[in-house]
Amino acid sequence: MWFFLKGAGMGAADVVPGVSGGTIAFITGIYGRFLHALKSFDLNALAVLKKSGVKAFWRHVDGAFLLSVFAGLVTSAASLAKVITYLLAHHQILVWSFFFGLIVASFIHVAKQVSQWQWQTVLSCMIGALIAFVITTIAPSEAVPHWWMFFVAGAIAVCAMILPGISGSFILLLMGMYGHVLGAITAKEVSLIGLFLIGCVFGLMIFSRFLSWLLDNYEQLTFSLLAGFLIGSLNLLWPWKTVVSTYTNSKGIEKPLLQQNVSPMEFASVTGLSPQTGLCIALAVAGLLLILAVEKLTEEK
């Protein structure tokens, strides 16, 4: 049940463009086990299945753990898709404020995994921050939703999903597939969802091996790089933004193309809307405290 809830947290995070399920996995203490379980699906696993049967294969791939995590992840993502879409459409400032606090706390948690900050780890952190910052400044596009695009989107986005600080949902947004994937989930288009999930499995099998190798061989540099990803992603989650330019998507709906971060006062001046500064700060602090509480609870487990 505990692993199911952790998976549900990952699923909830993955629905939001800018928040990574990998961050939640890291904070809740299942990140390393999750990567190694994914990596265990290899030729050795097939050999175990052939030689010793299904039970031995299930133990080899840590099947019970993966089943619980993915059950929570899929259940949460499917049930929260409409809720998150509504909140982002009607209360975007408040949502980004809450997740801004989450990511700040996540950075603190990941940075604490670096035992000693030297020039190599500082440089790695700076590189990670720069990469994430550049990704978050790229303007989103709108893709034509051909069936094969769902497979490709799943394979690419899932790589970002398991990286703390890099959001799979935001990668989907950049590819122009975020709305189409959410639409397929809410409309229960089984074939398209299936293609997306197959792409996710394909991407997970490849990228999890690479990431696991990095953690096994360059742990401190990898942790500092991941911490940098988190800091760089804060650019996307800054609550107060003004629209610089817009575009019209394939459904004829006008959407923001380029946005810039502004102060709460400038936001109020330009948009004529209340910046809700006090509530935003309170939500950011709540997000930070929530992660610290989860971290403490996980340590006690």
Side-chain angles (χ1 to χ4, degrees), residues 51-75:
K51 182 179 179 180
S52 305
V54 175
K55 288 186 178 180
F57 169 81
W58 190 249
R59 288 193 299 270
H60 177 81
V61 299
D62 207 357
F65 165 76
L66 283 180
L67 181 62
S68 297
V69 170
F70 275 110
L73 194 155
V74 172
T75 301

Side-chain angles (χ1 to χ4, degrees), residues 4-23:
F4 177 89
L5 293 176
K6 292 181 178 183
M10 292 174 63
D14 285 324
V15 174
V16 181
V19 185
S20 169
T23 302

Side-chain angles (χ1 to χ4, degrees), residues 92-93 96 235 238-246 256-273:
Q92 188 177 80
I93 294 178
W96 288 145
N235 173 63
W238 181 253
W240 301 282
K241 301 177 185 291
T242 57
V243 177
V244 176
S245 61
T246 61
L257 178 62
L258 292 176
Q259 295 179 300
Q260 65 178 7
N261 295 333
V262 297
S263 68
M265 290 181 292
E266 187 176 349
F267 174 85
S269 174
V270 172
T271 65
L273 302 173

Side-chain angles (χ1 to χ4, degrees), residues 150-170:
F150 285 84
F151 174 84
V152 174
I156 295 176
V158 78
C159 297
M161 184 191 77
I162 60 176
L163 274 175
I166 299 292
S167 164
S169 291
F170 184 67

Side-chain angles (χ1 to χ4, degrees), residues 197-208:
L197 292 177
I198 292 171
C200 288
V201 171
F202 179 79
L204 276 176
M205 293 301 101
I206 295 175
F207 188 69
S208 61

